Amino acid sequence: MPEGDSVFRLAARLRKSLDGRTLKRGELRVPAHATDTLDGAQVKEHVTHGKHLLTRFEGGLTLHTHLRMHGSWTVTAPGRKLPRTLLPDARVILEVDGGPTAYGMHLPVVDLLPTGAEGDVVGHLGPDPLRNDWSAQEAVRRLHQDPERRVAAALLDQRNIAGFGNLWANELCFLRGVHPDTPVGEVNVPAMVDLGARCLRFSATQAHQVTTGSLRRGEKHWVAGRAGRPCLRCGTTILVRAEVAGDPGRRRTWWCPRCQPPMSVS
């Protein structure tokens, strides 16, 4: 699933192609909005909140989309079209008159709602380090509400902080020397939040999801995706635990048993 930094970068790409321009064709290919059209609408702006993308139009409408596991966006140059064989997978088509066309592919979430009602779809989210209204204090407060919860699961909970996915939850635990199963109450939460915010901003604007500083194949991350390989810091074999069925807080977890001893405190 794309994380908040990936969606932020996507918004920047769509912003460059669509913002301030009028749609020749605005088609929503989902049952709930089969009779709605955005033809002639002017794109005002693209903003994000965590993993959610909000495309706002002049006149007070917002298109809310979420990629989840398989969704994506592709933009074709003026005069170019998506291959016909791929068109059935397009859930959103936003074509600029005389300009590019953006296709939302396999999107599992497509909502068209009044801009004033955006809170209905993103109001449950916690603060987002990539937004201007980011509040580290509020993020810390929310994380502290359940001190017994394992820290990796707490970081993944979008109600605490919006934007961290499984990659960041695992990498942040490594960077802070914290075992993923450590209870939140035993973690230096302000330090974790501060580091996470800085990492997400750097990833969104510079080196995308490179946590080690190395661009070499297999060395971009400290632990995520590196099960069975030596820790880049100490050489110990990285361990992994598969996700637990039915428990959204227990996705696949990676850690270094030496750099992140159980129940360690940062």
Side-chain angles (χ1 to χ4, degrees), residues 104-127:
M105 309 297 292
H106 298 284
L107 296 178
V109 176
V110 178
D111 301 313
L112 186 65
L113 66 158
T115 299
E118 288 178 359
D120 293 345
V121 291
V122 296
H124 65 289
L125 298 174

Side-chain angles (χ1 to χ4, degrees), residues 237-261:
T237 301
I238 299 298
L239 302 180
V240 65
R241 182 178 60 222
E243 59 271 22
V244 176
D247 184 352
R250 286 188 176 273
R251 301 180 211 180
R252 184 162 296 187
T253 302
W254 297 270
W255 73 97
C256 171
R258 181 174 180 182
C259 296
Q260 301 166 265

Side-chain angles (χ1 to χ4, degrees), residues 106-253:
H106 298 284
L107 296 178
V109 176
V110 178
D111 301 313
L112 186 65
L113 66 158
T115 299
E118 288 178 359
D120 293 345
V121 291
V122 296
H124 65 289
L125 298 174
D128 178 350
L130 301 179
R131 289 175 56 89
N132 292 332
D133 58 0
W134 162 247
S135 170
Q137 294 78 11
E138 176 61 15
V140 169
R141 185 191 70 80
R142 292 185 182 216
L143 286 165
H144 273 149
Q145 286 182 321
D146 189 354
E148 298 302 318
R149 193 175 192 185
R150 58 192 293 270
V151 64
L155 290 171
L156 285 168
D157 191 334
Q158 301 300 293
R159 296 169 298 179
N160 291 328
I161 302 176
F164 293 147
N166 208 31
L167 182 146
W168 282 113
N170 283 273
E171 293 295 287
L172 289 174
C173 284
F174 176 86
L175 289 168
R176 290 296 303 161
V178 172
H179 191 281
D181 291 340
T182 304
V184 170
E186 298 185 27
V187 173
N188 185 335
V189 173
M192 180 76 82
V193 168
D194 177 69
L195 176 64
R198 288 188 284 114
C199 285
L200 204 66
R201 292 189 195 112
F202 185 83
S203 179
T205 58
Q206 299 185 58
H208 186 224
Q209 295 186 347
V210 177
T211 59
T212 61
S214 173
L215 295 177
R216 292 182 179 180
R217 183 180 178 87
E219 295 185 4
K220 294 181 180 180
H221 308 140
W222 291 105
V223 291
R226 301 194 72 252
R229 304 188 65 183
C231 175
L232 295 171
R233 179 177 291 168
C234 73
T236 303
T237 301
I238 299 298
L239 302 180
V240 65
R241 182 178 60 222
E243 59 271 22
V244 176
D247 184 352
R250 286 188 176 273
R251 301 180 211 180
R252 184 162 296 187
T253 302

